[in-house]
Amino acid sequence: MDSDASISPRRPSCYSDSGDSSCSEPFSECGSDDLSFNPAAAAGIHRLLLSCAAEASEDSISSLVAELESPSASVDSLRRAAMELRLLAKHNPDNRIRIAASGAVRPLVALLSHADPLLQEHGITALLNLSICDENKAIIVEAGAIRPLVRSLKSAASPAARENAACALLRLSQLDGAAAAAVGRAGAIPLLVSLLETGGPRGKKDAATALYALCSGARENRLRSVEAGAVRPLLDLMSDPESGMVDKAAYVLHSLVGFAEGRSAAVEEGGIPVLVEMVEVGTSRQKEIATLSLLQICDDNAVYRTMVAREGAIPPLVALSQSSSARTKLKTKAESLIEMLRQPRSASLRARPAAIVAAE
């Protein structure tokens, strides 16, 4: 998914679902502001884009904010002001700081409840572009943006607006655990699961990235994701190399199998064969995340260990443990899982010797 925005240093910037990468996570930043216009408007918009790429003065930004706040402003003038703020925030990091400092956030949040669909989209995307700047995340959350963004994720008129709402919620959830929990409590997770199931390619990627951030930021969101039915579409994407989503889906699933309800759901939905196949034929990163997920599933559960062994996991795990290209840490984990599968009623990882646990 393409983005012309600056990459936040707090998030991994790598992504590869078609090969290996040295990065530890398969998540890039979600897509940012992707403007498209009819040919008749293209020339004017191009000139506006060029002008907005430069730094804007505080006076020019203040006049745009005043236009948004004016009770007598027409829909056309509101559209113009919102679009200019959106574009100013799209291209220039300093503009993002100036726009937030000018008091623009609250009137932009108000646009999300406006009856005009285009105004809603401009408001959503302006907030997304502002949220690229870490310093602005708290300002946007404090302005009450989370619930209106969740409503937009559910009911915005255009797919682009819904996808941008998902991206904005992702960025806000990166603020801290409280923000991630607030996004979950506001009802975002079932909507993200729906986008994961039915969205287009960009929508699916944005949904997976947002779910990963939410589950990483607040443990309570893992249960919400399982209850919302996230496991089935994740496994479907992991089973479909053509989706370009294998790595992303596998990492989200791994975050869910870290607790009992997630493990149960993964097994009940047929996740063991998918994970075993990934250990056997996946890329090195896919082998690693699948091995980690199987370790979580098998830990402290003899029934699941027996199921994994009967699925044929031991031979590919032996091959992985002996691979010259595998990392030492991954080999150790593969060996631990092999031992667990060969003795399915042995103690869990939590009770294993300290030296082995430390090596893992």
Side-chain angles (χ1 to χ4, degrees):
M1 102 195 47
D2 297 327
S3 172
D4 54 16
S6 301
I7 298 298
S8 165
R10 295 186 183 179
R11 299 299 301 166
S13 59
C14 62
Y15 165 60
S16 172
D17 259 308
S18 59
D20 295 335
S21 168
S22 60
C23 295
S24 61
E25 296 175 355
F27 293 96
S28 64
E29 285 292 342
C30 65
S32 184
D33 191 353
D34 185 16
L35 286 166
S36 59
F37 297 93
N38 62 60
I45 294 300
H46 180 66
R47 288 192 294 271
L48 184 57
L49 282 168
L50 291 176
S51 66
C52 287
E55 289 187 11
S57 69
E58 292 182 4
D59 287 345
S60 62
I61 291 172
S62 295
S63 67
L64 293 171
V65 175
E67 190 72 27
L68 289 184
E69 294 178 322
S70 172
S72 60
S74 66
V75 170
D76 284 343
S77 63
L78 289 172
R79 286 178 177 176
R80 181 191 60 80
M83 185 174 69
E84 288 196 35
L85 288 170
R86 166 183 177 173
L87 295 177
L88 288 169
K90 172 184 172 74
H91 287 290
N92 190 293
D94 291 331
N95 285 346
R96 295 172 193 142
I97 298 291
R98 291 192 183 96
I99 291 169
S102 73
V105 172
R106 289 191 181 277
L108 286 171
V109 171
L111 293 183
L112 274 57
S113 302
H114 199 282
D116 181 68
L118 187 54
L119 267 177
Q120 290 179 25
E121 181 172 340
H122 286 328
I124 292 164
T125 313
L127 291 170
L128 166 60
N129 291 342
L130 291 174
S131 71
I132 294 167
C133 175
D134 287 337
E135 292 87 337
N136 289 341
K137 289 181 171 71
I139 297 172
I140 297 170
V141 170
E142 290 166 4
I146 288 177
R147 288 193 178 277
L149 283 168
V150 171
R151 288 197 298 270
S152 299
L153 177 60
K154 180 179 182 179
S155 59
S158 71
R162 294 192 294 274
E163 290 165 355
N164 287 346
C167 284
L169 289 166
L170 158 64
R171 293 187 188 279
L172 298 183
S173 72
Q174 295 168 357
L175 175 62
D176 52 34
V183 172
R185 286 195 298 270
I189 288 175
L191 301 173
L192 290 168
V193 171
S194 177
L195 187 59
L196 190 69
E197 292 177 309
T198 64
R202 181 197 153 185
K204 289 178 185 288
K205 290 177 181 178
D206 290 347
T209 307
L211 285 169
Y212 182 77
L214 289 170
C215 292
S216 301
R219 293 179 65 86
E220 64 195 67
N221 287 335
R222 300 178 189 181
L223 180 58
R224 291 191 179 102
S225 297
V226 171
E227 292 176 341
V231 170
R232 180 69 265 161
L234 289 171
L235 291 171
D236 289 341
L237 291 168
M238 289 167 61
S239 303
D240 180 14
E242 298 301 316
S243 70
M245 290 283 294
V246 175
D247 293 33
K248 276 180 160 59
Y251 270 76
V252 180
L253 183 75
H254 179 252
S255 73
L256 300 183
V257 298
F259 73 110
E261 292 86 348
R263 290 191 288 274
S264 297
V267 173
E268 290 168 7
E269 293 288 352
I272 287 175
V274 175
L275 290 166
V276 171
E277 182 177 12
M278 190 174 288
V279 173
E280 187 172 7
V281 301
T283 66
S284 61
R285 180 161 64 187
Q286 291 164 6
K287 291 176 188 288
E288 180 166 358
I289 195 64
T291 300
L292 295 175
S293 294
L294 287 170
L295 270 170
Q296 293 274 27
I297 289 170
C298 290
D299 186 27
D300 206 25
N301 194 306
V303 173
Y304 292 169
R305 295 178 197 178
T306 300
M307 293 172 68
V308 172
R310 287 178 176 172
E311 193 59 39
I314 292 178
L317 285 168
V318 170
L320 181 60
S321 70
Q322 297 174 350
S323 171
S324 60
S325 61
R327 297 189 302 142
T328 300
K329 188 174 181 180
L330 176 56
K331 291 182 181 182
T332 302
K333 290 184 179 294
E335 290 166 358
S336 297
L337 183 53
I338 292 166
E339 181 182 348
M340 196 182 295
L341 297 178
R342 286 175 171 165
Q343 303 178 47
R345 298 192 179 279
S346 63
S348 74
L349 281 177
R350 299 183 184 91
R352 292 168 65 76
I356 295 178
V357 176
E360 295 172 4

